[in-house]
Amino acid sequence: MMNGSLGHSSELHILEHKLRVSNLKKDAISSYTHALIKISLLPRSRPRFFSFTETRDGYTIIVEDDLCKELPQSESIDMPDLVWRVLTVSAGAYGSHQLTGINRIVKTVISPLADFKISVLVISTYQSDYVLVKEMDLDTAIKCLSQNYKIFKDSGMGLEPVTLSIADRLDGMTKMNERKTDEHRPIVHPFTCPMNRFHVTSLDSRMLPSLTTILLDLMFYSKTPVDERYEPFFHISIVEGDISLVLDSEALSRFPEGSLYTNTNDEGWKMIRVGDTPLGFDESGVAAQIAEPLADVQMSTYYISTYGLGHTLVPESEVDKAIELLSSLQVI
């Protein structure tokens, strides 16, 4: 499972953040607007990790555990009693690899965790990719990923190396070698591709005051598309000051020219939504089922997990190729 472009000297960091994941019903957003603004967009707000995603089914909110008290408790919000930890590969480990998004970590992070039956949430941003694992699974994840990375844990006072016993290393190596097959995992959930054209962008935090009105409108006052072939989808994440957006062309057009960063080769992205009913947090391998075959054909992809579903972004010019490939692996 080792990716030839990453050596064992590559680093994986366990961030200090402890996160909670919740789902807010569509018709309740007005009751949570003030709290969400307070957490994320006020000048004094400094979220270390905040993620907000609107889908057709509701709003997925990922926020630090100690900020959960800002979200009113009601029947309109589902927040399981689970704490999630954040894993990310250090930027230097990517080297000169030209692929964009999660392809750089499929074989060394996402696939091994699936082999260990560890359920993950994946959040791709303009700047990086984050893999969330349940805190109860963190020790097993460390054992698994130590085969590919030097692992460091952020204690809040800096990064400290994580050491494993020889027995744990051997156990991890044994389990990693159990899956020798080169066959792709079968795709067990339906998927669909809405007509929207998406973009992955970022904005300078210094621009936030002048763009806040637009962001508020997109977060809290979006309109359901008239054409059912299109789906509402908007994502904003704020991680240690880095602001990332995933939005469709209509939403992008609301921003003044030059106010957002985009990749110079950004031709637009199409979204493949994975699942039709909530997948739950216990199933493992959902992201791997989609990401592995696309990585094997050198296709750049982003991936955003929400409370119930997965969302893969592929280059617009390659969407037909992606759908054909994934369809060939579907077992339902």
Side-chain angles (χ1 to χ4, degrees):
M1 301 298 295
M2 176 74 79
N3 185 338
S5 63
L6 291 175
H8 192 74
S9 60
S10 301
E11 294 182 4
L12 182 136
H13 297 168
I14 304 169
L15 305 186
E16 64 172 325
H17 317 311
K18 295 186 177 184
L19 306 179
R20 297 285 292 276
V21 180
S22 60
N23 181 66
L24 180 63
K25 294 179 181 178
K26 276 275 184 161
D27 59 5
I29 188 63
S30 60
S31 300
Y32 287 79
T33 299
H34 174 76
L36 289 167
I37 293 174
K38 182 179 179 181
I39 291 171
S40 61
L41 296 178
L42 289 181
R44 63 178 179 272
S45 300
R46 293 292 185 271
R48 294 175 297 169
F49 197 109
F50 173 81
S51 173
F52 174 98
T53 310
E54 180 194 7
T55 68
R56 57 169 197 164
D57 299 316
Y59 302 88
T60 296
I61 302 162
I62 303 177
V63 68
E64 296 155 70
D65 186 40
D66 59 353
L67 291 177
C68 285
K69 61 182 182 294
E70 302 287 351
L71 298 174
Q73 298 304 301
S74 73
E75 294 182 354
S76 297
I77 191 168
D78 297 316
M79 186 182 296
D81 188 21
L82 289 172
V83 173
W84 296 80
R85 300 301 300 271
V86 186
L87 313 179
T88 187
V89 174
S90 63
Y94 293 145
S96 60
H97 206 294
Q98 296 300 308
L99 289 179
T100 299
I102 63 170
N103 300 71
R104 299 169 294 192
I105 60 170
V106 169
K107 294 304 177 86
T108 54
V109 179
I110 294 176
S111 291
L113 291 174
D115 291 339
F116 268 63
K117 309 300 182 185
I118 296 175
S119 176
V120 304
L121 300 176
V122 181
I123 301 294
S124 292
T125 71
Y126 184 85
Q127 295 86 3
S128 190
D129 302 284
Y130 301 94
V131 177
L132 279 57
V133 302
K134 300 171 192 171
E135 189 167 52
M136 67 181 75
D137 292 332
L138 183 59
D139 288 343
T140 305
I142 290 172
K143 185 190 303 184
C144 162
L145 299 177
S146 66
Q147 309 306 311
N148 293 340
Y149 294 98
K150 289 183 177 178
I151 300 178
F152 293 81
K153 182 178 291 188
D154 188 347
S155 64
M157 301 295 290
L159 293 172
E160 301 176 353
V162 176
T163 57
L164 292 178
S165 67
I166 295 176
D168 281 342
R169 286 190 176 278
L170 290 175
D171 185 37
M173 187 177 300
T174 299
K175 290 184 178 179
M176 287 291 289
N177 290 333
E178 287 177 357
R179 186 172 181 264
K180 295 289 190 179
T181 179
D182 291 328
E183 294 181 3
H184 291 134
R185 304 170 202 269
I187 297 174
V188 300
H189 295 286
F191 56 86
T192 188
C193 181
M195 294 293 292
N196 313 51
R197 186 173 188 254
F198 288 94
H199 306 268
V200 182
T201 71
S202 180
L203 62 91
D204 189 323
S205 59
R206 293 171 295 183
M207 292 284 293
L208 188 57
S210 64
L211 300 176
T212 297
T213 301
I214 300 173
L215 291 173
L216 291 176
D217 190 45
L218 291 172
M219 290 174 70
F220 305 120
Y221 304 102
S222 63
K223 298 179 181 178
T224 301
V226 176
D227 191 329
E228 293 183 354
R229 295 176 300 170
Y230 293 76
E231 285 194 11
F233 187 91
F234 173 77
H235 170 82
I236 179 171
S237 61
I238 305 174
V239 183
E240 300 293 356
D242 290 330
I243 303 173
S244 179
L245 305 170
V246 177
L247 67 178
D248 65 17
S249 295
E250 180 181 353
L252 183 69
S253 68
R254 303 188 195 183
F255 289 86
E257 185 175 354
S259 63
L260 299 178
Y261 299 128
T262 57
N263 291 321
T264 55
N265 62 346
D266 182 18
E267 60 171 330
W269 300 78
K270 302 293 283 189
M271 183 179 77
I272 299 174
R273 171 171 52 79
V274 184
D276 200 34
T277 57
L279 304 178
F281 292 151
D282 294 327
E283 185 177 354
S284 62
V286 177
Q289 291 168 23
I290 302 296
E292 286 175 350
L294 298 180
D296 284 346
V297 296
Q298 301 295 297
M299 188 180 299
S300 295
T301 59
Y302 290 95
Y303 196 97
I304 295 177
S305 299
T306 59
Y307 190 88
L309 306 172
H311 303 82
T312 300
L313 294 165
V314 300
E316 185 175 29
S317 62
E318 297 188 272
V319 64
D320 291 339
K321 176 182 177 181
I323 291 176
E324 181 179 1
L325 174 58
L326 298 179
S327 297
S328 70
L329 299 171
Q330 203 166 24
V331 296
I332 60 173

